[in-house]
Amino acid sequence: MNRTIDPSVVPINRPRALAPARILGIESSCDETAAAVIENGRALHSNVVASQIDLHAQYGGVFPEVASRQHIRTIYAIVDQALHQAHLTLADVDAIAVTRGPGLAGSLVVGINMAKGLALGRNLPIVGVNHLEGHIYSAWVYPAGENPTAEPQFPLLALLVSGGHSELILISGHLQYRRLGGTLDDAAGEAFDKVARLLGLPYPGGPSIQKASEEGNPKAFQFPRARLEGSWDFSFSGLKTAVLRLVRQFEDDRRPLPVADLAASFQAAVVDVLLTKTVKAAQTFQAHQILVAGGVSANRALRQAFLSQSDFHVHIPKLSLCTDNAAMIAAAGYFRFAHGQRDPLDIDALPTWPLS
Ligand code: KG4
Ligand code: ZN
């Protein structure tokens, strides 16, 4: 039982005021059961994710009842494994961070109850974390034992693109957010998932579209880009409808569907809109750097587009931290814990919880 903090994993540019701490993170907001241990909000000791993708693929999307039951089955083993892989026990942990929302109510409560049980049994504090904040803090994480990655510098313009959200957020300092805009209809990941279904590609749609796009021409079809000038919001429903119309046209004409070209052209339209608006927002609000996070930030074309523009330095988490995981919850939980947050043992899930 080692309660001392290894100084080699303390990031050099961590503000002095923040006390060192080890956090166990737990995430179960949707279809991933995950646990992780992180030190000082950045150095990752373990990161265990049990995906339920295979279970839900047959339904073409996440089946909430199936998701919560599966979380119950796996969560104990996942937490155990995360501690084991970190070569730590609960006695070495300073707090438990758990996703409180947004997400599926029946899934969230499984993680929250696990956190409560551990906290009660070990007299540890609980820190409830907003899942969106978790995605943001995934950009702070690096593997313990390796050189720390450059820490994001404020003010940051964050693009958060996942299955449920497409948000532009101005971050002026730790835990200080100003939401500039979001999607008016489908989230970016949701658009990927729905268009994949239209093209007959398997769930989850994002990776399927990316794969199909590799064989396609992104300029084959000129899909509409909803620019929504004068607003920081996004809209993807027009784009989705445009794909639907083309698919119907091909079917009516009994012509084979050019899946790869459709996928590549759709993906190019999404990336174009996301990149253009994010860079413009960063310029307008005089952000220092850009941060891209959430499941869609795993997209290769999106990553390439952001990393090849030269106006801003861009932070994008490594692939394993883009989709849902508990490392990001532990990281955000650390910054909340270090700023004094302690939640009562009767905290409840918040299925709808805007970041503020
Ligand atoms: O962040 P996440 O794991 O869960 C939510 O918080 O929603 O994001 C899941 C979303 C799904 O819509 C999935 O299709 C999308 O992220 N996604 C991708 C890729 N990998 C996952 N979208 C585009 N390209 C990818 N490679
Ligand atoms: Zn997520």
Side-chain angles (χ1 to χ4, degrees):
M1 277 190 269
N2 167 23
R3 286 198 67 87
T4 53
I5 304 286
D6 175 358
S8 69
V9 296
V10 177
I12 10 162
N13 54 353
R14 179 172 54 78
R16 279 237 178 102
L18 299 188
R22 268 193 211 114
I23 309 288
L24 168 68
I26 298 177
E27 152 68 32
S28 69
S29 66
C30 191
D31 60 341
E32 260 97 28
T33 323
V37 179
I38 215 159
E39 193 151 341
N40 304 331
R42 300 202 64 202
L44 184 61
H45 287 288
S46 64
N47 186 27
V48 183
V49 181
S51 170
Q52 303 179 2
I53 283 178
D54 294 347
L55 267 181
H56 299 286
Q58 57 183 310
Y59 307 109
V62 179
F63 199 116
E65 173 81 14
V66 173
S68 55
R69 284 178 179 220
Q70 189 62 16
H71 286 308
I72 292 169
R73 284 190 197 107
T74 51
I75 195 151
Y76 183 84
I78 296 300
V79 169
D80 202 37
Q81 212 177 318
L83 287 166
H84 184 75
Q85 284 184 12
H87 305 293
L88 297 169
T89 72
L90 279 174
D92 307 311
V93 162
D94 297 288
I96 299 172
V98 63
T99 309
R100 225 184 143 183
L104 301 169
S107 289
L108 288 165
V109 292
V110 179
I112 293 173
N113 285 342
M114 182 75 192
K116 285 178 182 176
L118 296 175
L120 199 59
R122 289 290 179 159
N123 197 23
L124 284 169
I126 285 193
V127 179
V129 171
N130 185 306
H131 182 84
L132 307 180
E133 185 169 72
H135 275 302
I136 287 168
Y137 274 95
S138 59
W140 267 256
V141 179
Y142 67 88
E146 292 184 13
N147 285 333
T149 49
E151 192 164 2
Q153 300 295 314
F154 304 112
L156 276 168
L157 203 294
L159 170 70
L160 185 47
V161 269
S162 67
H165 295 86
S166 302
E167 311 272 309
L168 274 179
I169 303 159
L170 183 63
I171 312 176
S172 50
H174 280 299
L175 317 175
Q176 287 165 24
Y177 311 106
R178 176 176 161 202
R179 182 182 183 272
L180 303 176
T183 183
L184 299 177
D185 35 59
D186 294 337
E190 195 179 356
F192 269 96
D193 294 336
K194 287 179 176 171
V195 166
R197 218 174 298 157
L198 289 177
L199 301 180
L201 296 170
Y203 170 85
S208 301
I209 296 240
Q210 174 175 309
K211 190 153 180 267
S213 298
E214 280 159 17
E215 312 290 315
N217 173 8
K219 294 193 174 134
F221 301 98
Q222 257 308 310
F223 284 125
R225 273 91 162 135
R227 301 278 178 206
L228 306 182
E229 298 295 345
S231 131
W232 299 112
D233 290 326
F234 297 104
S235 167
F236 295 107
S237 67
L239 172 58
K240 181 190 65 191
T241 309
V243 179
L244 173 66
R245 277 210 205 97
L246 257 180
V247 168
R248 291 220 174 113
Q249 210 173 306
F250 274 96
E251 284 169 358
D252 290 348
D253 298 347
R254 294 179 194 279
R255 283 187 291 158
L257 209 56
V259 173
D261 284 348
L262 286 166
S265 303
F266 161 79
Q267 182 176 267
V270 175
V271 170
D272 182 12
V273 169
L274 293 175
L275 175 70
T276 310
K277 194 156 264 192
T278 306
V279 170
K280 196 169 166 197
Q283 284 163 342
T284 305
F285 293 95
Q286 296 176 344
H288 197 52
Q289 299 179 335
I290 286 175
L291 187 163
V292 188
V296 181
S297 68
N299 185 268
R300 196 176 299 142
L302 184 87
R303 296 170 82 89
Q304 266 167 10
F306 271 90
L307 294 173
S308 54
Q309 59 73 43
S310 52
D311 292 321
F312 290 92
H313 180 79
V314 178
H315 295 271
I316 309 185
K318 60 184 224 170
L319 282 179
S320 61
L321 297 174
C322 289
T323 45
D324 290 350
N325 63 83
M328 66 186 204
I329 302 303
Y334 165 78
F335 287 97
R336 293 221 152 256
F337 179 73
H339 284 87
Q341 181 175 325
R342 309 285 184 273
D343 285 315
L345 268 176
D346 62 352
I347 56 163
D348 202 359
L350 297 173
T352 309
W353 186 14
L355 190 62
S356 58

